[in-house]
Amino acid sequence: MPGSPRTAPSWALLLRLLALLRPPGLSEACSCAPVHPQQHVCRSALVIRAKISSEKVVPASADPADTQKMLQYGIKQIKMFKGFEKVKDVQYIYTPFDSSLCGVKLEANSQKQYLLTGQVLSDGKVFIHLCNYIEPWEDLSVLQRESLNHHYHLNCGCQITTCYAVPCTISAPNECLWTDWLLERKLYGYQAQHYVCMKHVDGTCSWYRGHLPLRKEFVDIIQP
């Protein structure tokens, strides 16, 4: 969960927040609000490409009365896209051991590479959970990979709103409607993979994919 602008949260605080956000009656469930990949990159303190080299269960804190456990993943960092000012080289990442607290299960000791977004805690450790954007690198589109370096960062002033049902409208000129769930019944569909919500010189934002036009379904919803 995002910390304050000045002080990153601790493990204990993050685990308490995740427990509080767990929906009532769903003790074994992790629930996350839909967030577009562009927003994930903008909101995260750290964005890296990495391979997982090891996995270990560790205590969540030095307090012997604290029974919470964390998973410590050793990683081989391939590239950092965001977070240079907070940490230079990430060797370990941490996630809740309890899946109901949105703990992430990654493949260790394999050739699989991941895009990982997360937070940098007050002690310098990197914390991830299922509400972050965590995807196998091979599943990202060419545009998504390229946007990690430029487009996503440059357009963090744009807002992206999920459209669940028609009619859906924008409430501000710097807003883009995200329609993957409406059109495909999944979040990370065609629009998330192939479009960036880009800001124009007049402060407005709209979906952009180079010289290619928006699909007709998007235009019909965005321009009723």
Side-chain angles (χ1 to χ4, degrees), residues 63-79:
D63 183 356
D66 186 357
T67 60
Q68 293 281 1
K69 300 293 184 182
M70 304 287 288
L71 276 176
Q72 173 189 276
Y73 288 112
I75 72 164
K76 178 182 179 182
Q77 179 177 303
I78 298 171
K79 185 170 183 178

Side-chain angles (χ1 to χ4, degrees), residues 44-102:
S44 298
L46 186 89
V47 181
I48 60 174
R49 176 184 178 184
K51 292 171 65 174
I52 311 302
S53 58
S54 65
E55 176 184 333
K56 181 180 179 182
V57 180
V58 298
S61 72
D63 183 356
D66 186 357
T67 60
Q68 293 281 1
K69 300 293 184 182
M70 304 287 288
L71 276 176
Q72 173 189 276
Y73 288 112
I75 72 164
K76 178 182 179 182
Q77 179 177 303
I78 298 171
K79 185 170 183 178
M80 181 178 289
F81 301 98
K82 186 178 180 182
F84 305 96
E85 73 285 357
K86 295 182 179 294
V87 59
K88 299 302 180 186
D89 182 47
V90 181
Q91 296 182 326
Y92 299 99
I93 55 175
Y94 298 84
T95 191
F97 178 75
D98 189 345
S99 61
S100 67
L101 295 180
C102 300

Side-chain angles (χ1 to χ4, degrees), residues 132-143:
N132 296 126
Y133 189 57
I134 298 167
E135 290 287 319
W137 184 258
E138 63 183 13
D139 290 350
L140 300 179
S141 68
V142 173
L143 178 135

Side-chain angles (χ1 to χ4, degrees), residues 152-172:
Y152 286 163
H153 301 284
L154 295 175
N155 294 282
C156 287
C158 294
Q159 301 298 317
I160 301 175
T161 300
T162 308
C163 180
Y164 295 104
V166 291
C168 48
T169 60
I170 61 174
S171 58

